[in-house]
Amino acid sequence: MSPTVTDLAVEDVRFRTSEYLDGSDAMNPDPDYSAAYVVLRTDGEAEGHGFCFTIGRGNDVMAAAIAAIGPHVAGRPAPRTAADLADLYRALTHDSQLRWLGPEKGVMHMAAGAVVNAAWDLAAKLAGMPVWRFLAGMTPEELVSLVDFRYLTDALTPQEALAVLRAAEPGRAERTERLLAEGYPAYTTSPGWLGYDDDKLVRLAEQAVADGFTQIKLKVGADLDDDVRRLSLARRAVGPGIRIAVDANQRWDVAGAVEWMKVLAPYDPYWIEEPTSPDDVLGHAAVRAGQPVKVATGEHVANRVVFKQLLQAGAVDFVQIDAARVAGVNENLAILLLAAKFGVPVCPHAGGVGLCELVQHLAMFDYVAVSGSWEDRVIEYVDHLHEHFADPVVIRGGRYVAPRAPGFSARMLPASIADHRYPQGPVRQARHTPEETGR
């Protein structure tokens, strides 16, 4: 007999990453990586775990939004099938009164995504599989049933999505075995935080190459002379055969992005990430057309509709999904299918709190059952905060090792939650910021 979801619990968990400038960039100089963490409890032993990632203040707002969803899940049978998960996704994203707060974007949409992801964690645990294998074991018809095609059919119909999935179906078993044997390609942003000094940048860039990474990423956008110096140092440190992506974190307007990247282009940046507002589809297209560096974006894109428009406009060379920005696995499946239809590689955003743990499942599923390729595809990797998770990511030779434990790799250790709970956790108590103390 299937267990029943009894309640939804939410925790406000915050880490003081700003003390070391981990995560610092041109738009976010002092992030405190945080998670509005949700647990779906059942009347059995199984639980579902999920979260939204934030960077500090406002995490309490996110936690409150998740709590508002509680009535939709309490009393439901624990999800086990594609039909169950599709029904829950639609219930959370189609609630007209909560949807009004977006619609289908922003805090409420991210909150729905945290609960949807927790439901996938629960369903995969009940199936005894990691999420990537649970998804990849579904039929093309089941996968199509998970997607909300409203607003998409001018670019992707259910029939076209079914054709993409059926075309990839024959090689699933072989790709699964290859993935288990070789892992999935990764790149690292760890050398490139804007707050790091030059010596640290060079040391970490050299270490990344020694560790097997073939691509690193630097944050740019605060000062052009600094960017030229840092990119030159990084290029000398890693040599000509290593890709160096750069990321402006939405810092520029269109004209500024074009001119800035013309200056950086001689150092052979692999892509420019988030050159301008994540909502500006035509702006991204203009940046792509106006300078020689490829364009990537997606970590702050609000929903499948904006991804659809970016692809329709020819505005991006790389799609960057985020596991906790849109409404969970279901909406990310829609984006993966759109990218496959348009032939654009997906290179997921990760880092943060637990984003590496989550998004590896989506990229690996894409390889096995959607795109069938990892050519020009890499998952971002950042090397902090993994110790707070029960099933942390494993990187070997610059590649993600495929998870084998059941679930979404989302469960945070109870001791970490207790230590970093806001505001009463002992680590928080010892490290209050002026904003927290009212000074």
Side-chain angles (χ1 to χ4, degrees):
M1 185 174 181
S2 183
T4 297
V5 177
T6 55
D7 63 37
L8 176 155
V10 190
E11 297 277 7
D12 183 341
V13 183
R14 308 190 195 188
F15 299 89
R16 295 288 288 130
T17 51
S18 62
E19 291 182 355
Y20 308 102
L21 299 178
D22 296 337
S24 53
D25 60 56
M27 191 62 81
N28 308 290
D30 60 346
D32 281 337
Y33 280 180
S34 305
Y37 184 77
V38 56
V39 180
L40 295 182
R41 297 187 177 127
T42 72
D43 56 6
E45 294 184 1
E47 292 182 337
H49 298 256
F51 50 84
C52 286
F53 167 63
T54 78
I55 62 168
R57 289 184 297 278
N59 202 50
D60 50 345
V61 177
M62 184 63 70
I66 293 171
I69 292 173
H72 275 295
V73 296
R76 280 179 175 265
R80 287 183 176 272
T81 66
D84 296 336
L85 291 157
D87 182 61
L88 177 62
Y89 169 76
R90 286 174 172 81
L92 300 188
T93 57
H94 291 188
D95 178 308
S96 64
Q97 294 181 11
L98 294 178
R99 185 180 182 276
W100 182 268
L101 301 179
E104 294 189 64
K105 56 182 173 286
V107 170
M108 204 67 242
H109 202 52
M110 293 171 68
V115 178
V116 167
N117 284 343
W120 278 91
D121 180 62
L122 176 56
K125 286 173 180 172
L126 291 171
M129 289 185 281
V131 159
W132 70 270
R133 295 201 76 161
F134 182 55
L135 266 168
M138 291 183 177
T139 67
E141 291 77 13
E142 287 175 316
L143 291 169
V144 167
S145 76
L146 292 163
V147 174
D148 184 353
F149 283 92
R150 181 164 51 181
Y151 313 136
L152 297 186
T153 54
D154 57 321
L156 178 72
T157 66
Q159 293 74 27
E160 289 172 326
L162 199 59
V164 167
L165 293 164
R166 285 176 175 164
E169 197 171 17
R172 284 188 186 185
E174 291 80 4
R175 288 191 293 274
T176 296
E177 292 306 311
R178 187 179 182 194
L179 181 61
L180 289 167
E182 299 180 26
Y184 195 100
Y187 77 91
T188 181
T189 304
S190 295
W193 301 117
L194 204 59
Y196 289 176
D197 62 32
D198 290 352
D199 289 343
K200 189 170 185 178
L201 183 158
V202 170
R203 174 171 55 82
L204 292 177
E206 291 173 343
Q207 185 61 53
V209 176
D211 289 341
F213 291 100
T214 58
Q215 179 175 327
I216 66 171
K217 189 168 76 182
L218 302 188
K219 300 294 184 173
V220 297
D223 181 273
L224 182 56
D225 291 339
D226 284 348
D227 288 349
V228 169
R229 186 191 73 255
R230 293 171 69 252
L231 190 51
S232 175
L233 287 169
R235 178 54 70 198
R236 286 201 296 271
V238 303
I242 300 297
R243 293 171 173 173
I244 303 177
V246 295
D247 184 358
N249 291 95
Q250 315 156 33
R251 182 64 185 259
W252 304 315
D253 63 12
V254 171
V258 169
E259 294 307 310
W260 206 292
M261 290 311 301
K262 285 180 178 177
V263 176
L264 297 186
Y267 300 94
D268 194 24
Y270 183 57
W271 72 53
I272 173 59
E273 183 172 332
E274 287 199 312
T276 192
S277 166
D279 301 324
D280 190 352
V281 173
L282 298 182
H284 277 85
V287 171
R288 185 170 183 253
Q291 50 78 50
V293 179
K294 294 176 180 180
V295 171
T297 199
E299 72 180 83
H300 283 89
V301 169
N303 53 45
R304 65 199 185 282
V305 178
V306 181
F307 277 106
K308 177 194 76 170
Q309 293 178 340
L310 286 164
L311 291 163
Q312 287 174 314
V316 289
D317 297 282
F318 302 97
V319 164
Q320 295 178 302
I321 60 171
D322 183 286
R325 171 63 60 173
V326 300
V329 171
N330 300 59
E331 191 164 23
N332 268 312
L333 172 57
I335 297 161
L336 291 171
L337 288 165
L338 281 164
K341 159 79 183 294
F342 282 84
V344 176
V346 176
C347 297
H349 168 251
V353 180
L355 295 181
C356 297
E357 277 70 20
L358 293 186
V359 84
Q360 62 180 333
H361 290 268
L362 302 178
M364 292 175 187
F365 157 70
D366 175 68
Y367 169 64
V368 172
V370 183
S371 69
S373 173
W374 58 36
E375 184 178 355
D376 290 330
R377 290 164 169 82
V378 279
I379 308 172
E380 185 173 19
Y381 174 70
V382 179
D383 62 352
H384 52 249
L385 303 178
H386 304 294
E387 68 274 15
H388 299 291
F389 287 83
D391 183 28
V393 295
V394 176
I395 297 289
R396 188 175 298 138
R399 301 174 80 91
Y400 276 80
V401 175
R404 295 175 183 263
F408 212 171
S409 308
R411 186 169 76 85
M412 194 175 286
L413 297 172
S416 294
I417 295 172
D419 285 346
H420 296 274
R421 182 180 288 122
Y422 181 85
Q424 67 269 39
V427 175
R428 298 299 318 183
Q429 289 288 325
R431 299 177 180 177
H432 278 311
T433 65
E435 290 84 359
E436 291 166 359
T437 58
R439 292 197 302 270

